[in-house]
């Protein structure tokens, strides 16, 4: 029995079911770590004898794989999280100390049977989103060593993406549990703040820090999150939590055109559109929203008094050993001195004001679908411009912890140059469990492979969309489908329970299709068109309110994505269901 190159819980369990033991697995991990070409992934590793002894101890205390949920599962730990027996350095050798106990998360994982293999590299003191701010070197993107791996949880992501661990722990203040996942084709699970205790974690910004999980699938990441979450009296920000549900058919907020900034990275822009298309094909309704209040909150994290909270975490060390700190990190911490207590309170008031501004968005959507990072950079470029380029990566992530959100980052394709892109689903506090199902489906549909074992995306994969009005053949907006290389597939009808309205004041004239489960008509005529994923996303992005995209049931029982209308738009509109279709209402012949 052999292990695949990239690991997950199922493959390790299958390995054990075939007669292998944790000792066998440990030998494989030892070899892989020695052969790994990226020598900056780990800061400290468990010794080979230590790994073997941990495997023996596990087998002695719990002889069978079914005894514990993570029996014999190897994992890596970001080196700002305490692991008894290994130093905690936070990426700064002079800061190193020997913890006398495990962090709470590590205690829970060991109790579940998981095996620690080592402490991973990070942007020093978890200050950065790029992975280059470490005296131990810069872990590289697994697809191109010229590019950054993302940070601050850089080594943790690379360890999973290279098959050295089944999962790893990171931390996330501004996006550090998500950006490295995006750049390395893996999943990042960012729990709602307070669900997972930070006891035994060197803080970056204690009030918003979150311990995160990297894995190769949403299911694995969620399984680990469930083990580590739960209150802990040692963490003053730990809290009791519930499970907030989400509807089966999600309303997803997507960036309006004015809020999209990919810094000239047209490939990432294309991949975001393709991800939107996949989300719609999975049954989501997409709703462009105003990102401005989210973006203003995101800016507060790097350009406000939360920078002073970073200094508060290590102030005695900073005052005694400033020269020991990486230059960019030192400069950021030095800037903390310009913020006063008055600044801190005013920023808090501003944050709460912005939170109120976002309520209208949360009334209109269930979750947001955002680019995890709008850009990626080479290591050389990042070192030449370490602050401005780093800030780009957090454009669509920085607000999440400030607003107490749950988030899951999933892979979403590759550029033509072979660099990975990812998207994040972000929802209100404690939607962690409810968000997982759709995130998993979105990941699977992207068909990206796992970590360094990428799948070549199917550029020929087509998605179907149903149109009922101005996009029909011969109608004034049909050119939008033609421009995106759309192909007409068939003309058919909806199931009987749909109504059609002529929308008041629309230019050009448009109908609105409404589902009414109590209505029994003859069905509404429509056309089905075919687009590639990127074209589908672009098409959906251009749909004006009050129209949206959702699932339409056809007369033969099939379901296809298509135009639906908000019921609030029907005031002053005329019901035209009796005509059976838009062309009949206009008195125009069918197009053959």
């Amino acid at each position: 029995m052999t292990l695949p190159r990239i690991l997950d819980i199922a493959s390790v369990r299958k390995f054990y079911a075939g007669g292998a033991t944790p000792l066998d697995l440990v030998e494989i991990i030892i070899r892989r770590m020695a052969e790994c070409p990226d020598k900056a992934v780990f800061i400290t590793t468990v010794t080979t004898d230590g790994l073997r002894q941990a495997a023996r101890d596990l087998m002695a205390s719990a002889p069978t794989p079914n005894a514990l949920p993570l029996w014999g599962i190897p994992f890596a730990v970001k080196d700002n999280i305490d692991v008894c027996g290994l130093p905690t350095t936070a990426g700064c050798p002079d800061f190193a100390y020997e913890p006398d106990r495990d962090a709470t998360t590590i205690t829970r994982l060991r109790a579940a049977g998981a095996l620690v293999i080592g402490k991973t590299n990070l942007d020093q003191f978890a200050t950065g989103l790029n992975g280059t701010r470490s005296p131990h070197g810069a872990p590289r993107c697994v697809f191109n060593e010229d590019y950054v791996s993302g940070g601050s949880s850089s080594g943790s992501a690379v360890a999973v993406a290279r098959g050295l661990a089944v999962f790893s722990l990171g931390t996330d203040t501004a996006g550090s549990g998500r950006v490295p996942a995006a750049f390395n084709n893996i999943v990042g699970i960012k729990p709602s703040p307070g669900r997972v205790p930070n006891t035994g974690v060197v803080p970056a910004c204690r009030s918003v820090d979150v311990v995160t999980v990297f894995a190769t699938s949403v299911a694995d990441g969620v399984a680990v999150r469930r083990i580590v979450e739960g209150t802990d009296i040692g963490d003053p920000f730990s809290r009791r939590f519930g499970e907030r549900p989400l509807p089966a058919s999600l309303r997803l907020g997507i960036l309006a055109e004015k809020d999209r900034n990919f810094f000239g990275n047209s490939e990432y822009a294309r991949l975001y559109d393709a991800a939107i298309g996949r989300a719609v094909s999975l049954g989501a309704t997409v709703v462009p929203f105003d990102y401005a209040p989210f973006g203003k909150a995101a800016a507060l994290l790097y350009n406000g008094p939360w920078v002073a909270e970073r200094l508060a975490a290590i102030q005695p060390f900073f005052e005694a050993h400033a020269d020991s700190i990486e230059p960019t990190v030192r400069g950021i911490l030095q800037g903390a001195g310009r913020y006063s207590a008055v600044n801190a309170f005013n920023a808090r008031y501003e944050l709460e004001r912005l939170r109120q501004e976002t309520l209208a968005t949360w009334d209109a959507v269930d979750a947001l679908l955002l680019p995890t990072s709008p850009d990626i950079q080479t290591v050389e470029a990042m070192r030449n411009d370490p602050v401005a380029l780093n800030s780009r990566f957090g454009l669509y992530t920085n607000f999440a912890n400030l607003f107490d959100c749950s988030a899951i980052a999933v892979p979403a394709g590759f550029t033509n140059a072979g660099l990975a892109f990812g998207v994040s689903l972000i929802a209100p506090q404690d939607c962690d469990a409810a968000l997982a199902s759709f995130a998993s489906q979105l990941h699977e549909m992207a068909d990206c492979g796992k970590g360094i074992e990428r799948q070549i995306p199917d550029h020929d994969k087509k998605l179907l969309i149903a149109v009922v009005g101005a996009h029909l053949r011969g109608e004034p907006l049909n050119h939008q489908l033609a421009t995106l290389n759309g192909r007409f597939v068939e003309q058919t009808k909806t199931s009987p329970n749909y109504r059609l309205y002529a929308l008041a004041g629309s230019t050009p004239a448009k109908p609105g299709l409404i589902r009414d489960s109590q209505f029994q008509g003859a069905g509404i005529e429509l056309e089905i068109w075919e687009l590639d994923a990127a074209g589908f996303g672009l098409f959906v992005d251009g749909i004006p309110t009050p129209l949206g995209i959702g699932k339409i049931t056809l007369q033969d029982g099939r379901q296809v994505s298509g135009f639906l209308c908000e019921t609030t738009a029907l005031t002053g509109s005329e019901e035209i269901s009796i005509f059976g279709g838009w062309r009949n209402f206009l008195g125009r012949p069918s197009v053959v």
Side-chain angles (χ1 to χ4, degrees):
M1 178 63 65
T2 59
L3 275 175
R5 183 183 185 188
I6 303 302
L7 304 175
D8 56 25
I9 292 175
S11 66
V12 173
R13 286 177 176 164
K14 185 176 180 180
F15 182 66
Y16 291 148
T21 71
L23 270 174
D24 298 317
L25 180 138
V26 159
E27 294 301 332
I28 293 171
I29 297 299
I30 290 170
R31 185 179 70 249
R32 289 187 178 187
M33 292 171 72
E35 295 173 351
C36 179
D38 191 340
K39 301 305 179 184
V41 176
F42 288 94
I43 292 177
T44 309
T45 57
V46 178
T47 65
T48 55
D49 286 344
L51 283 172
R52 292 173 183 132
Q53 189 59 49
R56 293 189 192 99
D57 291 345
L58 174 65
M59 295 165 65
S61 62
T64 62
N66 294 329
L68 297 168
L70 295 178
W71 192 85
I73 302 295
F75 73 103
V77 183
K78 185 176 181 177
D79 195 17
N80 62 340
I81 302 173
D82 287 346
V83 174
C84 194
L86 296 175
T88 299
T89 75
C92 180
D94 288 343
F95 179 79
Y97 63 90
E98 298 285 343
D100 57 6
R101 65 184 65 184
D102 285 334
T104 300
T105 50
I106 304 303
T107 298
R108 293 173 179 177
L109 290 169
R110 290 203 212 249
L115 300 172
V116 178
I117 64 170
K119 306 289 292 293
T120 56
N121 203 353
L122 69 156
D123 280 324
Q124 194 176 77
F125 296 114
T127 300
L129 281 173
N130 61 83
T132 69
R133 299 173 180 176
S134 169
H136 302 281
R140 305 303 177 105
C141 171
V142 298
F143 301 105
N144 187 328
E145 66 179 12
D146 291 338
Y147 284 81
V148 300
S149 60
S152 61
S153 309
S154 50
S156 291
V158 174
V160 172
R162 284 193 173 276
L164 307 179
V166 172
F167 71 91
S168 63
L169 296 187
T171 61
D172 186 307
T173 303
S176 299
R178 293 163 280 160
V179 170
F183 292 169
N184 294 284
N185 194 37
I186 59 173
V187 169
I189 305 288
K190 190 209 75 65
S192 301
R195 285 181 74 109
V196 178
N198 288 322
T199 314
V201 178
V202 178
C205 291
R206 191 185 298 272
S207 65
V208 291
D209 288 345
V210 177
V211 173
T212 62
V213 182
F214 294 105
T216 56
S217 72
V218 173
D220 280 7
V222 168
V224 174
R225 189 210 75 219
R226 287 174 175 159
I227 288 169
V228 298
E229 69 184 2
T231 57
D232 178 14
I233 196 171
D235 177 7
F237 290 96
S238 175
R239 61 181 177 84
R240 294 178 180 176
F241 55 86
E243 299 294 351
R244 181 172 176 172
L246 291 172
S249 298
L250 291 179
R251 299 169 301 162
L252 287 180
I254 61 171
L255 292 172
E257 191 61 39
K258 70 179 180 62
D259 294 320
R260 297 187 182 195
N261 186 356
F262 289 93
F263 301 95
N265 192 328
S266 60
E267 286 284 278
Y268 270 20
R270 173 183 64 80
L271 290 167
Y272 179 55
D273 282 321
I276 293 170
R278 288 191 292 272
V280 171
S281 71
L282 288 170
T285 299
V286 295
V287 182
F289 74 101
D290 180 13
Y291 187 69
F294 296 89
K296 290 175 182 176
L300 286 174
L301 193 60
Y302 280 169
N303 301 312
W306 278 270
V307 175
E309 190 174 17
R310 292 182 182 271
L311 177 60
I314 60 164
Q315 187 171 16
F317 178 81
F318 179 81
E319 290 175 349
H321 304 282
D323 290 344
S324 299
I325 297 176
E326 192 272 341
T328 301
V329 176
R330 183 171 65 244
I332 291 168
L333 295 175
Q334 285 171 335
R338 68 180 182 270
Y339 296 106
S340 68
V342 172
N343 296 142
F345 277 109
N346 284 336
R348 180 70 185 184
Y349 303 152
E350 174 66 3
L351 178 63
E352 295 310 313
R353 186 190 70 77
L354 292 169
R355 190 192 303 270
Q356 293 295 319
E357 282 193 23
T358 67
L359 295 181
T361 292
W362 291 121
D363 286 340
V365 305
D366 305 303
L368 309 178
L369 177 64
L370 301 178
T372 301
S373 173
D375 190 27
I376 187 171
Q377 290 289 331
T378 64
V379 171
E380 181 180 7
M382 185 60 64
R383 286 175 171 161
N384 288 334
D385 192 2
V387 175
L389 295 184
N390 179 86
S391 294
R392 290 185 182 184
F393 294 171
L395 179 60
Y396 301 118
T397 61
N398 286 2
F399 71 87
N401 288 336
L402 290 172
F403 283 157
D404 301 309
C405 293
S406 53
I408 299 178
V410 296
F414 291 89
T415 68
N416 290 331
L419 294 170
F421 171 76
V423 293
S424 289
L425 289 160
I426 302 175
Q429 184 182 67
D430 291 338
C431 290
D432 302 73
L435 203 57
S437 176
F438 191 86
S440 181
Q441 294 178 66
L442 194 64
H443 181 202
E444 291 172 9
M445 192 174 186
D447 198 23
C448 297
K450 297 177 178 181
I452 200 170
E453 285 201 334
R454 58 167 287 196
Q455 291 283 114
I456 302 299
D458 182 3
H459 294 295
D460 296 325
K461 188 173 184 178
K462 303 298 182 183
L463 299 174
L464 300 178
I465 189 161
V467 297
V468 295
H471 288 92
L472 295 166
R473 290 173 296 167
E475 296 302 317
L477 297 183
N478 181 256
H479 67 91
Q480 293 179 354
L481 288 167
T483 299
L484 296 170
N485 297 317
R487 184 182 72 85
F488 172 74
V489 176
E490 63 177 301
Q491 183 169 312
T492 183
K493 289 186 176 183
T494 68
S495 64
N497 50 335
Y498 286 87
R499 296 179 183 269
L500 193 67
Y501 293 79
L503 297 178
S506 59
T507 304
K510 301 181 187 69
L513 186 69
I514 302 290
R515 179 180 174 85
D516 182 349
S517 59
Q518 305 302 314
F519 181 68
Q520 288 292 311
I524 305 299
E525 289 185 355
L526 53 74
E527 291 179 355
I528 297 177
W529 285 71
E530 184 181 76
L531 292 164
D532 63 27
F536 191 104
L538 287 169
F539 184 67
V540 168
D541 180 48
I543 296 170
T545 186
L547 301 178
I549 296 292
K551 286 297 184 185
I552 296 173
T553 303
L554 305 181
Q555 62 182 356
D556 60 6
R558 288 179 294 157
Q559 287 195 323
V560 65
S561 300
F563 283 87
L564 291 171
C565 183
E566 299 175 14
T567 55
T568 54
L570 300 185
T571 302
S573 297
E574 175 189 359
E575 183 172 1
I576 58 172
S577 306
I578 192 172
F579 291 93
W582 184 241
R583 285 198 186 97
N584 292 339
F585 168 71
L586 296 175
R588 294 175 183 166
S590 295
V591 176
V592 179

